[in-house]
Amino acid sequence: MVAVDAHNLKIAYGDTLIVPDLSLTLYPGEVTALLGPNGSGKSTVLCTLARLLQPNRGAVYLNGRNITKLPTREIARQLAMLPQSSEVPDGVTVWELIGYGRYPHQNLLGGFSTQDLAAMRWALKVTRLEPLAERVVDTLSGGERQRAWIAMALAQQTQVLLLDEPTTFLDIRHQLDVLSLVRGLNREHGITVGWVLHDLNQAAAYSDRLIMLTGGQVVAAGSPAEVMTASTIQEVFGVEMTVIPHPISGSPTCLPCNLGSSTSGFTPCAPKDYSLKQQGEQGK
Ligand SMILES: Nc1ncnc2c1ncn2[C@@H]1O[C@H](COP(=O)(O)OP(=O)(O)OP(=O)(O)O)[C@@H](O)[C@H]1O
Ligand SMILES: [Mg+2]
């Protein structure tokens, strides 16, 4: 099982400092969610863990080895990353995109081995993309395209999976599919997962650890019960929530306290009192 450690990362885009000094660990065989408001630096941190971005200071270690010292191919055999947004070259089909995930495993002669093809078929199946295998990725719906990218990352069959908002664009069934698929891979194969999720309840239900970020800094890190508290949510997101145990699983679940307090001034309709209405109707 593989650990990812980030030590004292300082990350800037040009002169704009995004992450002043951040350390975190994705523990081997655990699922860790990075949470935080838009612009808090989640994607920036995830890209740095995957060596897609170079920190100005600090270092990332993959199982104790500094990733700047590792050949790209070796990193790609151990770590797959689903970026928040990616462009597909024109005309590439779902099957071809999934095949890109096998490049780190191919020998110099190229071509897909039996093992490559088995991994690609498996990735196609578990993302329910079999009927779309021959479709050009550009012609897919947002959710179908997202699943094609997830399939590519899965086909890479790495010990570490970094997923930036893998459930965005997906309907609820496919969201749950992806969350339980990744959780299942983690349980069965000890894959270390770091994912960015915006749904706090899904993050708490499907992760071992949560890391809450704001302004490029870690505000809280620990088990869902430790991190998902009303006061941390208030501090990080500036909204008042109540946290209750999920009625079936018991995982911490947050609900807005006051639907009418939005800054937009929107006040939802008052719940209709159907019992009174019915009585009134009966009395007519
Ligand atoms: N290439 C870039 N050049 C300059 N600034 C950038 C660049 N990419 C991101 N930023 C800025 O860095 C900050 C952090 O961005 P990042 O994408 O990491 O946030 P995030 O937490 O992933 O947000 P979101 O939830 O919206 O995806 C933001 O203020 C963003 O505008
Ligand atoms: Mg992001």
Side-chain angles (χ1 to χ4, degrees), residues 241-258:
M241 305 284 266
T242 184
V243 180
I244 56 167
H246 185 282
I248 296 165
S249 69
S251 76
T253 303
C254 62
L255 297 167
C257 286
N258 181 356

Side-chain angles (χ1 to χ4, degrees), residues 43 84 164-165:
S43 298
Q84 190 169 357
D164 198 346
E165 299 197 28

Side-chain angles (χ1 to χ4, degrees), residues 106-111:
Q106 284 177 315
N107 58 32
L108 291 175
L109 295 174

Side-chain angles (χ1 to χ4, degrees), residues 22-208:
L22 179 141
S23 298
L24 62 78
T25 300
L26 305 183
Y27 289 94
E30 286 198 358
V31 177
T32 304
L34 288 186
L35 307 171
N38 294 137
S40 56
K42 305 176 299 294
S43 298
T44 301
V45 169
L46 214 64
C47 285
T48 310
L49 298 183
R51 213 185 66 178
L52 301 175
L53 272 176
Q54 303 294 331
N56 301 63
R57 198 188 56 220
V60 174
Y61 297 88
L62 198 55
N63 250 1
R65 297 169 71 196
N66 189 326
I67 57 167
T68 59
K69 308 262 161 53
L70 294 174
T72 304
R73 224 170 129 84
E74 190 175 333
I75 296 177
R77 279 197 212 118
Q78 292 197 55
L79 181 153
M81 163 91 181
L82 172 79
Q84 190 169 357
S85 56
S86 319
E87 298 213 344
V88 190
D90 277 349
V92 167
T93 65
V94 170
W95 180 249
E96 287 164 345
L97 182 70
I98 294 173
Y100 291 166
R102 297 305 301 172
Y103 283 171
H105 301 279
Q106 284 177 315
N107 58 32
L108 291 175
L109 295 174
F112 293 122
S113 66
T114 316
Q115 205 184 348
D116 291 329
L117 291 170
M120 289 160 66
R121 281 194 205 104
W122 168 79
L124 197 67
K125 183 161 180 262
V126 294
T127 51
R128 299 186 200 257
L129 283 170
E130 278 158 323
L132 302 176
E134 298 310 322
R135 285 274 297 279
V136 170
V137 178
D138 269 348
T139 68
L140 300 178
S141 77
E144 291 164 348
R145 205 173 312 146
Q146 179 77 336
R147 274 153 52 211
W149 280 105
I150 292 170
M152 188 192 92
L154 293 180
Q156 216 172 313
Q157 293 196 322
T158 54
Q159 275 297 301
V160 180
L161 259 182
L162 301 180
L163 306 168
D164 198 346
E165 299 197 28
T167 53
T168 304
F169 305 118
L170 302 188
D171 65 56
I172 187 67
R173 176 189 175 205
H174 287 112
Q175 286 178 34
L176 298 177
D177 264 2
V178 167
L179 293 164
S180 48
L181 170 65
V182 172
R183 193 48 160 157
L185 291 173
N186 153 265
R187 292 245 161 93
E188 281 165 39
H189 304 287
I191 290 173
T192 305
V193 178
W195 52 14
V196 173
L197 298 172
H198 274 299
D199 186 314
L200 302 181
N201 296 332
Q202 290 182 347
Y206 288 88
S207 312
D208 298 299

